């Protein structure tokens, strides 16, 4: 089939929820993708911050193939080998205590919200607290941030601060209010005696690449501690080494009560997780409260486990740290050189260039024509979330192809 035929067939049978770029990718090697016509693209999108190891990593592929031949799925009714290995590695890297594996980031958010609500419920309804047969209304309110993104299911959408995404699907989950990101007073103003959790991305991704300011994140942590509110950090996009530490919050010295993770966690195998600290895990979800048929199956966990091994072997986190100043210099130079690039924001390999006075989509399209995959965010931000294994020469080549697209 020709690429046009693939596109036509896609539009005929696949529900049109994406305006896709007119490219049909066939394979990947390292940090390059190849389309069905043989054209190569330098990939600074990594499947939306997913393919951290680059394409065609042989050790990763071999581990998946080996697990396929052994055992793909058994359900969560039984123990298996890869699950505890993956969970232990993720807990160690994150500093969290308990892991629940999901199939996506959105589901990780759902689980995080349920865990928080159960924790709040037990505060009011622990065994022996109320008269027999009585339940007290729990603290159910959740504070989320404007311009946040947490996913598209009803729960995740309810805490996503983008009215445009929410509009057609009301009524959503109740008890959610929105505060201004990086504005501690605004968060304080939303706290009531019914607040159960505050949820935020350590670095906002879809909302336009906004890192949390240090005072803000520490301030939110302190507010949570003072009021016995749980802090949920969504590290789905900014976690797994992307910002130069295993998880972005570690650079702030802030540990959440609940963390969510996905995207690069399986490097392409669909898997996410929510993680609880000891305090939350002790008084939260128990058998019967939450479940998933696929979540954390042997295949997904073999992927997670291998991703952690390869991150260690290839020193991926250190590599991001070392190369970040160079990437930032190159992007700063572009922002200096071109009037329509008015700012650079970001952390590590999660960078955004603010574009003013021309449509970002046009630049993204031109870049594709020039063999470069870049993404946009929040309408006017050019988003760069490359594989974490890029080298200096890839950054140089990105700059050449991007400039040709201006
Ligand atoms: C992508 C993303 C999600 C949703 O993850 P899916 O795997 O698409 O369900 C949630 N939160 C953040 C910060 C994300 O970037």
């Amino acid at each position: 089939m020709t690429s046009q035929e693939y596109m036509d067939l896609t539009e005929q049978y696949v529900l049109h929820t994406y305006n896709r770029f007119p490219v049909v990718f066939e394979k990947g090697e390292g940090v390059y993708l190849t389309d069905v016509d043989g054209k190569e693209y330098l990939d600074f999108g990594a499947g939306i911050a997913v393919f951290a190891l680059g394409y065609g990593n042989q050790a990763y592929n071999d581990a998946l193939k080996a697990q396929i031949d052994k055992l793909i799925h058994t359900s969560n009714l039984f123990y298996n080998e890869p699950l505890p290995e993956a969970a232990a590695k993720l807990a160690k890297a994150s500093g969290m205590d308990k892991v629940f594996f999901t199939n996506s980031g959105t589901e990780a958010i759902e689980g995080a919200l349920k865990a928080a609500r159960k924790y709040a419920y037990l505060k009011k309804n622990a065994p022996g607290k109320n008269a027999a047969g009585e339940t007290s209304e729990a603290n159910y309110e959740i504070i989320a941030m404007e311009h946040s993104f947490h996913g598209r299911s009803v729960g995740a959408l309810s805490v996503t601060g983008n009215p445009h995404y929410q509009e057609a699907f009301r009524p959503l989950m109740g008890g959610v209010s929105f505060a201004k990101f990086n504005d501690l007073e605004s968060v304080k103003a939303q706290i009531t005696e019914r607040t159960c959790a505050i949820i935020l991305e350590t670095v906002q991704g879809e909302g336009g690449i906004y890192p949390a300011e240090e005072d803000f994140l520490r301030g939110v942590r302190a507010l949570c501690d003072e009021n016995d509110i749980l802090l949920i950090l969504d590290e789905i996009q900014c976690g797994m080494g992307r910002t130069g530490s295993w998880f972005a919050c570690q650079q702030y010295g802030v540990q959440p009560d609940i963390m969510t993770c996905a995207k690069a966690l399986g490097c392409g195998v669909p898997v996410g997780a929510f993680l609880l600290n000891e305090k939350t895990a002790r008084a939260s979800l128990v058998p019967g409260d939450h479940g998933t048929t696929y979540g954390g199956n042997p295949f997904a966990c073999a992927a997670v486990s291998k991703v952690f091994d390869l991150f260690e072997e290839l020193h991926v986190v250190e590599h991001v740290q070392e190369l970040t100043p160079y990437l930032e210099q190159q992007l700063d130079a572009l922002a200096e050189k071109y009037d329509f690039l008015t700012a650079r924001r970001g952390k590590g390999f999660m960078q955004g260039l603010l574009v003013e006075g021309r449509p970002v989509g046009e630049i993204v399209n031109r870049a594709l024509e020039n063999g470069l995959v870049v993404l946009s965010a929040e309408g006017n931000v050019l988003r760069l979330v490359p594989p974490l294994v890029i080298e200096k020469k890839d950054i140089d080549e990105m700059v050449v192809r991007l400039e040709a697209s201006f």
Side-chain angles (χ1 to χ4, degrees), residues 305-322:
S305 195
K306 195 65 188 177
V307 166
F308 277 103
D309 292 351
L310 287 169
F311 266 55
E312 297 275 2
E313 253 176 75
L314 303 171
H315 306 289
V316 168
V317 176
E318 296 80 0
H319 176 71
V320 174
Q321 274 168 25
E322 278 162 23

Side-chain angles (χ1 to χ4, degrees), residues 10-265:
T10 303
E11 295 307 335
Q12 186 180 351
Y13 288 108
V14 177
L15 188 67
H16 188 83
T17 57
Y18 284 95
N19 290 316
R20 292 169 204 269
F21 292 102
V23 177
V24 183
F25 285 124
E26 187 190 11
K27 57 187 182 191
E29 185 66 48
V31 296
Y32 281 84
L33 286 163
T34 308
D35 71 15
V36 290
D37 301 318
K39 180 175 162 179
E40 286 197 332
Y41 301 75
L42 175 59
D43 184 9
F44 266 59
I48 318 187
V50 168
F51 234 105
L53 293 168
Y55 302 96
N57 181 299
Q58 204 53 53
Y60 171 78
N61 291 357
D62 287 344
L64 293 189
K65 288 174 197 169
Q67 189 61 44
I68 287 173
D69 287 336
K70 253 173 135 178
L71 187 64
I72 293 177
H73 180 80
T74 57
S75 91
N76 281 307
L77 301 176
F78 307 97
Y79 293 91
N80 63 61
E81 294 171 302
L83 172 67
E85 288 173 3
K89 290 172 192 176
L90 177 52
K92 186 166 155 265
S94 63
M96 303 298 284
D97 293 294
K98 301 280 183 184
V99 181
F100 183 103
F101 284 110
T102 64
N103 308 294
S104 68
T106 300
E107 286 167 84
I109 296 290
E110 293 294 329
L113 296 175
K114 279 182 71 178
R117 284 216 165 151
K118 181 71 191 288
Y119 179 87
Y121 172 87
L122 286 177
K123 268 201 292 191
K124 294 280 185 74
N125 296 290
K129 260 211 166 141
N130 301 319
E134 253 180 47
T135 49
S136 301
E137 196 182 11
N139 297 354
Y140 57 85
E141 290 177 3
I142 292 173
I143 301 172
M145 299 298 137
E146 292 176 5
H147 303 291
S148 60
F149 182 83
H150 298 293
R152 307 291 201 137
S153 63
V154 172
L157 189 58
S158 301
V159 291
T160 288
N162 184 332
H164 174 71
Y165 288 170
Q166 297 179 328
E167 189 52 37
F169 307 101
R170 295 183 193 285
L172 296 169
M173 185 179 87
V176 179
S177 66
F178 289 91
K180 288 195 167 54
F181 192 64
N182 279 335
D183 180 343
L184 196 59
E185 289 308 313
S186 154
V187 177
K188 250 183 218 165
Q190 302 292 332
I191 292 178
T192 76
E193 59 199 17
R194 295 216 165 282
T195 304
C196 119
I198 299 176
I199 182 168
L200 60 106
E201 295 151 88
T202 314
V203 182
Q204 287 193 332
E206 306 299 310
I209 316 290
Y210 286 95
E213 284 161 15
E214 199 152 322
D215 287 351
F216 175 72
L217 196 59
R218 293 206 174 148
V220 172
R221 179 67 270 181
L223 277 180
C224 288
D225 291 340
E226 287 156 21
N227 297 285
D228 196 14
I229 293 169
L230 296 177
L231 176 59
I232 306 174
L233 288 182
D234 181 348
E235 292 255 354
I236 289 170
Q237 189 161 159
C238 61
M240 291 304 290
R242 179 145 301 276
T243 66
S245 50
W246 275 110
F247 292 92
C249 59
Q250 291 161 344
Q251 290 175 48
Y252 298 78
V254 168
Q255 194 68 9
D257 300 293
I258 303 177
M259 186 192 285
T260 57
C261 180
K263 291 205 161 85
L265 179 61

Side-chain angles (χ1 to χ4, degrees), residues 306-353:
K306 195 65 188 177
V307 166
F308 277 103
D309 292 351
L310 287 169
F311 266 55
E312 297 275 2
E313 253 176 75
L314 303 171
H315 306 289
V316 168
V317 176
E318 296 80 0
H319 176 71
V320 174
Q321 274 168 25
E322 278 162 23
L323 210 54
T324 291
Y326 187 72
L327 176 62
E328 291 186 341
Q329 270 165 29
Q330 300 308 303
L331 296 175
D332 284 338
L334 288 177
E336 185 80 8
K337 187 166 168 189
Y338 295 95
D339 283 346
F340 60 90
L341 299 177
T342 54
R344 174 190 65 77
R345 287 195 297 263
K347 248 188 187 324
F349 285 6
M350 185 172 176
Q351 295 286 340
L353 286 168

